[in-house]
Amino acid sequence: MKFLAITLIVHAPDPVTGVAVPVRERFREVVADAVFAEEVGFDGFGVGERHERPFLSSAPPVVLGHIAALTRTIRLFTAVTTLSLLDPVRAYEDYATLDHLSDGRLDLIVGKGNGTAQAALFGVTAEDQWERNAEGFELFRRLWREDRVTAVPRFRPPLTDAEVLPRPLQRPVRVWHGSATSRASVDLAARYGDPLFSANVTHPVGPYAELVRHYRERWAHYGHDPARATVGAGTAGLYTARTSQAAVAGFRPAFEAYVGSQRAAGVPPVFPTLEDFVARSSALVGSPQQVVEKVHRYHEELGHTVLHVPADAGALGDRRHRASLELFHAEVAPVLRKEIPDPPFAWSPPLETAAAALVPAPVVQPETG
């Protein structure tokens, strides 16, 4: 199993003091977290993309570019690149440049993204967001593989024998498809033989496991080898301590801050108590052995071989958060790396094999947002 630390760069007042650090300091925290993640031994560090409050993650290529200059081995992830909002040509230019600057350490997780404010900012509607996401990905994929591209997309000006520079270092880059609730994203990943990253954060495992099963079914439907399907999954929180009692007590301030923010926003908590949260959510709160056992239980449902945990300290505080990450990598990660091996990256099907997928497919509308 491989491990990522991911941030959406939330900028909000401290739940205890009510004070928010300056924006510059918040970015410095993110960069420091990435450097620390590499020092501890994480395989990847991810930066999300949001274009509305309370997030500062509107320019992940810039943030990841700065991190690339201060690190050497850790892979750099987007989580997620919101292709429904972006011009795929401009997104390609940014990430191909970053691919070179990072010496080929870039992985992309793409998706529609969430949030009505950011959709309005970019003129995206509920009716066209899924089509924009699919079209943006298909053009982005071609740009990464073809030296010159001719295309007549619906949501941006046509391209005629267009040469888009720089040409990338990785050919192709690995692109994951992020999905929280949508079968549309799952089907797109399966069509192109790409890995899937399940959010696996807000609810119990059931809905996420159902989407992963659908991914594997569609993967086989499109003729791909079932053994090469690759799944990653998130976690709702992490706090590892020597004993379960210490872990629960240490995590309580973070849980109370989380529930308080939900209630303040008028959202009923899915997990109303800490005990319920520890038992039924994907959060990894407990002793090293308890965390190993819980990851195995989720692996039985999802079959995932990549796991992301929160990069931010939040209400835990830096000292507790970093101690938890150090213990996780000392006593949890080695066991899971051995017991749940992550297969080598299986390249997506050759372009000619996937040519049939370029025929527009019906857009699968999600059951929920």
Side-chain angles (χ1 to χ4, degrees), residues 307-329:
L307 179 75
H308 89 56
V309 301
D312 303 316
L316 281 174
D318 283 338
R319 182 183 61 81
R320 282 183 172 178
H321 180 59
R322 292 195 170 193
S324 170
L325 293 180
E326 288 172 340
L327 182 59
F328 179 88
H329 260 283

Side-chain angles (χ1 to χ4, degrees), residues 4 9 63 91 176 253 270 283 322 345 369:
L4 319 178
I9 319 184
V63 178
W176 302 71
V270 176
R322 292 195 170 193
F345 173 38

Side-chain angles (χ1 to χ4, degrees), residues 138-219:
E138 288 164 358
L139 184 52
F140 185 89
R141 187 180 193 278
R142 289 188 60 194
L143 289 166
W144 210 277
R145 287 163 171 76
E146 301 175 31
D147 290 339
R148 292 184 178 273
V149 173
T150 296
V152 185
R154 176 183 171 192
F155 297 106
R156 63 147 285 126
L159 300 174
T160 303
D161 197 29
E163 182 183 32
V164 188
L165 300 175
R167 300 309 302 148
L169 181 60
Q170 296 183 90
R171 298 204 177 197
V173 69
R174 178 162 60 171
V175 177
W176 302 71
H177 296 252
S179 177
T181 60
S182 166
R183 290 195 169 199
S185 296
V186 166
D187 190 79
L188 192 63
R191 285 178 63 199
Y192 285 97
D194 291 330
L196 178 72
F197 218 107
S198 171
N200 191 41
V201 168
T202 308
H203 301 284
V205 71
Y208 304 113
E210 181 181 349
L211 278 175
V212 170
R213 286 192 294 271
H214 181 68
Y215 166 69
R216 297 185 189 280
E217 291 167 1
R218 299 304 292 170
W219 178 280

